[in-house]
Amino acid sequence: MRQRERADPARLERFVRENVLPRTHPHTTARRRVLEALGKAGGLCTARTVNGDGDVIVCTLDAGHYDPDDKPPSKDGKPGGWHKADASIWNDLGAACIPHAAL
């Protein structure tokens, strides 16, 4: 019986940094997950909201971006100063929203 090989943590981290991270698009949930796995998500916004399906969505923009007065232009997918994760854009005033934490 062949013994399973164990992944070297440093080698695995290097693979993720060099191959997985560059293939994720900026400001997406996929990129946030990779950064969290690498322990590098500390500079990202912590605001959350709940969508209609009950899924928790976490902002993927950099911390400190939020400006409730910078409203997004309609229908172009740009968040203005509001929170964004993939196709979702929201502000902190919604009932299902958890504002960003002050760090």
Side-chain angles (χ1 to χ4, degrees):
M1 186 185 264
R2 196 167 79 174
Q3 190 175 10
R4 285 185 166 178
E5 293 182 33
R6 295 189 184 252
D8 174 26
R11 187 173 161 203
L12 181 58
E13 182 177 337
R14 186 172 55 251
F15 174 80
V16 171
R17 283 182 190 280
E18 293 173 1
N19 296 291
V20 178
L21 188 59
R23 293 182 179 162
T24 60
H25 294 287
H27 309 301
T28 61
T29 300
R31 185 173 189 86
R32 183 181 184 98
R33 287 181 181 148
V34 171
L35 290 171
E36 286 172 346
L38 293 171
K40 301 294 183 186
L44 296 178
C45 183
T46 60
R48 303 177 190 301
T49 192
V50 179
N51 70 11
D53 294 334
D55 297 327
V56 175
I57 301 170
V58 183
C59 184
T60 58
L61 299 175
D62 295 331
H65 74 89
Y66 184 66
D67 179 0
D69 296 327
D70 184 7
K71 296 179 182 169
S74 62
K75 298 183 183 179
D76 70 357
K78 294 182 181 177
W82 290 18
H83 302 295
K84 179 174 177 57
D86 301 325
S88 299
I89 297 172
W90 72 96
N91 66 16
D92 287 344
L93 300 178
C97 297
I98 301 167
H100 57 281
L103 300 176

